[in-house]
Amino acid sequence: MSAPSVWLITGASRGLGFEISKVALKAGHIIVAGRRGSKQTPQIAELESLGAIWIYLDMKSNDVESIISKVAQEHGHIDVLVNNAGYGVGGTAEDLRTSIQSILDVIEVNVMGPIRACRAVIPVMRQQGGGTIVNISSVSGIISFPGVSAYSCTKHALEGFTESLSKEIEPFKIRTILVEPGSMPTDFLDTTQTAVTIPRSEPYRGTIADVVLSAAASGELVKAHGGSPVLAAARIVEAVDRTGVFADRDVGLRLPLGKETQEMINWAKDFAKQAEELQDIALSI
Ligand SMILES: NC(=O)c1ccc[n+]([C@@H]2O[C@H](COP(=O)([O-])OP(=O)(O)OC[C@H]3O[C@@H](n4cnc5c(N)ncnc54)[C@H](OP(=O)(O)O)[C@@H]3O)[C@@H](O)[C@H]2O)c1
């Protein structure tokens, strides 16, 4: 087991964040777990019984940076930041026009929240001589499916931000890991929780966007391709701790997780092949 370190995990109340917190607690780390509101749930009670320290952290709030700075002061250091909190918005780009606010909201939580959190921990990690930032992206940060343009836009933004950031903070021994999960059976698609779905307007009925959104809503996609959030959490903690499957190999910047992501990476290889075929044109300007 590696030495205990202080982990700050956002969106730890359920889903992947809950599972990562549990694995990291069992690995002996000190977990400062972010949640919204004061609602008591079995997951919150379970993490508490394992020793998690709960803080109120709404990633939409302007206070993210000051809350994280306070955590650093209280614990003396933050070794690992896991930007996990996030949610999905479904709906065609045209239909989303009826709810521009829903796009701004998801950008605030999925992009601005992690950016604010990174900005708060980087000086702490720099001064302590290192650390690890884990940003939970998605297969939708690598390619975009029809019907989820708003969500894809947030994860592509997170990818761009993180890739650039990783090179900036590497000289300070701060590692950056971008996690690329495919579908997992969490509450992610549950519109009674945080997920938002904008109803399809008539012209889009029966189109590819409709098919994808209906399959997502019915849970078919998760059933066909879904990976285990428990095992995903194990891989993420192993990647940070350099234990288990990562005992003798380095993760690098991106950690692909799940069958769906792997299939999409193969698709990306096709894109690389296409770019190679157009190389003469690319080099013609
Ligand atoms: N499940 C998938 O298929 C999948 C695939 C690829 C990537 N991901 C990514 O994995 C991450 C975790 O998602 P999940 O699958 O675990 O979904 P989930 O089960 O719906 O959990 C989402 C978590 O994010 C928190 N959250 C939402 N809005 C927040 C806000 N404004 N401030 C703070 N916390 C907030 C929720 O807290 P509350 O309990 O307070 O709502 C909850 O803890 C997300 O970044 C998601 O984009 C998921």
Side-chain angles (χ1 to χ4, degrees):
M1 195 186 84
S2 51
S5 45
V6 177
W7 290 46
L8 173 58
I9 304 176
T10 71
S13 54
R14 52 197 171 87
L16 184 62
F18 165 75
E19 299 297 347
I20 299 171
S21 304
K22 208 157 78 165
V23 177
L25 279 162
K26 288 182 177 169
H29 298 304
I30 296 158
I31 302 303
V32 180
R35 69 193 265 201
R36 297 185 296 170
S38 53
K39 201 173 102 191
Q40 198 62 17
T41 66
Q43 287 102 320
I44 286 172
E46 185 177 347
L47 289 191
E48 210 159 80
S49 72
L50 290 169
I53 302 154
W54 285 106
I55 56 161
Y56 293 105
L57 190 57
D58 185 338
M59 297 307 281
K60 231 165 133 179
S61 143
N62 286 327
D63 297 335
V64 168
E65 290 179 63
S66 60
I67 293 169
I68 292 180
S69 301
K70 204 164 149 243
V71 170
Q73 271 167 21
E74 275 168 17
H75 293 272
H77 52 123
I78 297 176
D79 302 291
V80 182
L81 164 69
V82 183
N83 271 313
N84 163 78
Y87 69 95
V89 172
T92 69
E94 184 180 354
D95 292 334
L96 284 169
R97 77 192 188 287
T98 56
S99 183
I100 284 294
Q101 193 55 46
S102 66
I103 306 180
L104 295 172
D105 288 347
V106 74
I107 290 174
E108 198 64 42
V109 175
N110 291 9
V111 184
M112 295 312 298
I115 291 177
R116 290 191 183 106
C118 287
R119 279 174 42 83
V121 298
I122 290 165
V124 176
M125 290 181 173
R126 199 166 32 74
Q127 277 156 30
Q128 74 200 15
T132 305
I133 294 176
V134 179
N135 283 347
I136 307 293
S137 179
S138 164
V139 63
S140 297
I142 305 170
I143 68 147
S144 300
F145 303 93
V148 286
S149 55
Y151 178 67
S152 284
C153 143
T154 67
K155 293 300 185 180
H156 274 71
L158 186 64
E159 294 270 331
F161 171 78
T162 309
E163 188 164 341
S164 177
L165 175 81
S166 69
K167 296 180 180 102
E168 291 172 7
I169 60 181
E170 200 182 352
F172 310 122
K173 297 192 171 51
I174 305 174
R175 276 202 304 159
T176 315
I177 303 172
L178 253 173
V179 182
E180 322 285 3
S183 306
M184 295 175 292
T186 62
D187 294 336
F188 183 68
L189 296 172
D190 185 348
T191 46
T192 64
Q193 302 281 344
T194 35
V196 175
T197 302
I198 311 295
R200 259 89 77 210
S201 59
E202 209 285 320
Y204 288 94
R205 304 262 160 81
T207 64
I208 182 71
D210 191 19
V211 172
V212 171
L213 286 165
S214 302
S218 72
E220 273 173 47
L221 282 179
V222 180
K223 249 189 250 153
H225 301 284
S228 154
V230 177
L231 295 178
R235 294 296 94 82
I236 292 165
V237 174
E238 287 166 354
V240 174
D241 283 349
R242 295 186 166 98
T243 55
V245 297
F246 288 107
D248 51 12
R249 63 208 274 201
D250 196 23
V251 60
L253 175 62
R254 287 186 169 84
L255 173 57
L257 287 176
K259 188 173 150 204
E260 200 179 25
T261 301
Q262 208 48 50
E263 283 169 6
M264 292 311 148
I265 287 169
N266 290 338
W267 180 90
K269 278 185 200 152
D270 289 349
F271 173 70
K273 193 165 157 268
Q274 190 203 348
E276 206 179 297
E277 280 162 13
L278 294 179
Q279 209 185 113
D280 55 324
I281 295 169
L283 298 176
S284 70
I285 64 159

